[in-house]
Amino acid sequence: MRRRVLLPVIVFGLLAMTVILIGVGQQVATSRTQQLTLQRANSMDQLTQRAQTAITLGDGETLQEYLDEFHETFGESVLIIEGTGAPLAAAGDITLDDEVAQLALAASRAVPQWSLATAYPWSVDTALVAEPLISDTGTVTGVVVLDINQAAAKRDITEQWILVGAIGLALFAVLLAAAMAWMRWILRPVSALDSAALAMANHQKLDLGDATGPPELRRLAESFRQMSDSVEAALEQQHGLVADASHQLRTPLAAIRLRMDSLSYDLGEANSSKDPDAARQFVAEDVTAIDADLDRLERTVERMLTLANAEHRAGETISGHAFEVSVDGPERSTVSATSLAEAHRAGLQAAGIRLITEGETFRVVFRQSDLDEIIEILLDNARKYAGEGATVWVSLKPDGDAVILEVADSGPGLDDEQLARIGTRFWRATGHSALPGTGLGHAILTQLARANHATVLVDRARQGGLRTRVRMRAT
């Protein structure tokens, strides 16, 4: 991936650098050509003045000496042509051939011939230019032809191009190094995510390292970490549930198997017994016991399904995929302590337990069916464990932006060690094992509370029994 991302950067960097270098190189050639043109324009002025004076005075000898000195100094050839078209003086190797004649003819029309093209390293070494000689009366008396030597200018341009190219390569090297460092910074979290995904697939510990790279990829890494934690927690939860369920279901299944073996024996005895009434009584007792074990097994499975559903919804709430709270959505309920507990009043009274409800009506962020399930669990536990003659209080109280649902009883309650274990799947306090129950009640209500953005606190009631408080969002 790094090569695929880096290759376009290198290509576009090269293209940009090439465009810049071409522009700079062209500017260098143009500037050096303009400099050469200005220099030779000054020389041409000197030549035209000397030539015009010589023509006026008829002093060709002095003019020839000047041209020889000029040629020796600058290495450039000069040809002076009179108005008649005949050469007046010359220095160097300019001959009056057709090209020179055409150039001189054009200049003799009082039009200077300065068509000096931009010099490049591959340009010709010399370039011909011509300047007319104009007298004070405005008459063209001759033409000066100068063969400009461009070798020095070409050499200067070549050297500057090499320098510009070296600078460009250095800048490109810096750009390449910066691009690679930038690419490593960007792709470091991607590589960490790739390694983490591979580790997750191989059931190994994840290591996403420190948070580096762009903010978007850091957020992606954090989301992946949360997803991994959620998946790991869900797998552990599922594994624990399966292990606990297997352990709990083994006992009723073994009991049913023993009952079935006993039933087979009793049926055989009934067929051969001299006292068929007694044998049928044994069979009836076996069937009743099997039916009770099946009911117990059915209740356990039902509560396990309820717990699994609650844990699934709680996991969605924690991961942020749960329901969105709306103004009138099904997740909002208008409840009071009386409306929640009234349906259980008759059952509690039959068990010799007094029910007291307190508090006003509140609107809370909690599904009504979940609240009913929680109240049923808590009051059923109070009925079974608080004992005859106890009192159960159900209240709803405001607490800041929350509402507290509190269920307390005056029963024997639990000690500190037992309070710490309450909510553990299939856990039942010592002395309660003989009473009907699955040990899943508090585990279910805890998960239901989490699924509704609520929390649960269990402690000892002021009256001595158990107190459970569910803190819910108020609306």
Side-chain angles (χ1 to χ4, degrees), residues 131-331:
E131 185 79 15
L133 298 174
I134 302 176
S135 65
D136 295 338
T137 60
T139 305
V140 177
T141 59
V143 174
V144 177
V145 179
L146 175 64
D147 193 8
I148 297 176
N149 187 352
Q150 300 187 112
K154 290 168 55 181
R155 184 172 58 253
D156 292 344
I157 292 171
T158 301
E159 292 176 354
Q160 292 187 43
W161 278 17
I162 292 174
L163 178 61
V164 170
I167 294 174
L169 289 176
L171 290 177
F172 179 72
V174 172
L175 173 65
L176 183 61
M180 293 182 69
W182 177 65
M183 199 60 58
R184 283 196 296 271
W185 178 73
I186 288 180
L187 296 182
R188 187 175 297 128
V190 177
S191 301
L193 281 173
D194 182 55
S195 301
L198 183 61
M200 186 175 177
N202 294 329
H203 305 287
Q204 297 174 348
K205 185 177 180 181
L206 301 184
D207 183 14
L208 287 174
D210 298 331
T212 59
E216 294 81 2
L217 292 181
R218 290 205 299 268
R219 285 196 294 271
L220 176 61
E222 182 59 28
S223 299
F224 185 86
R225 191 196 311 276
Q226 293 178 359
M227 182 198 71
S228 172
D229 293 342
S230 299
V231 170
E232 185 175 358
L235 290 176
E236 289 182 357
Q237 195 175 44
Q238 185 181 34
H239 180 266
L241 179 62
V242 171
D244 292 341
S246 300
H247 177 74
Q248 292 297 320
L249 294 179
R250 185 181 296 119
T251 300
L253 286 175
I256 292 174
R257 178 175 293 278
L258 289 174
R259 302 289 186 188
M260 292 299 294
D261 293 340
S262 177
L263 178 62
S264 300
Y265 174 80
D266 291 339
L267 286 174
E269 288 292 320
N271 293 330
S272 60
S273 177
K274 297 179 179 178
D275 187 359
D277 292 335
R280 282 195 290 272
Q281 179 65 29
F282 287 137
V283 172
E285 291 177 355
D286 290 338
V287 172
T288 301
I290 291 173
D291 188 57
D293 288 335
L294 287 175
D295 289 342
R296 176 185 171 190
L297 187 62
E298 185 179 15
R299 285 197 303 272
T300 302
V301 172
E302 180 185 356
R303 302 308 284 166
M304 285 173 52
L305 290 175
T306 303
L307 176 61
N309 180 57
E311 287 180 341
H312 175 69
R313 289 172 49 203
E316 288 185 335
T317 300
I318 295 174
S319 63
H321 294 96
F323 59 82
E324 295 292 337
V325 177
S326 59
V327 176
D328 297 318
E331 66 281 356

Side-chain angles (χ1 to χ4, degrees), residues 12 34 49 61 110 116 121 140 151 154 173 178 183 187 241 263 272 314 347 358 375 384 393 396-397 412 459:
F12 284 116
Q34 292 175 349
Q49 291 176 9
E61 184 177 353
L116 195 61
V140 177
K154 290 168 55 181
M183 199 60 58
L187 296 182
L241 179 62
L263 178 62
S272 60
E358 301 172 342
I375 285 293
K384 289 187 293 186
W393 290 267
L396 280 175
K397 301 175 182 177
D459 58 3

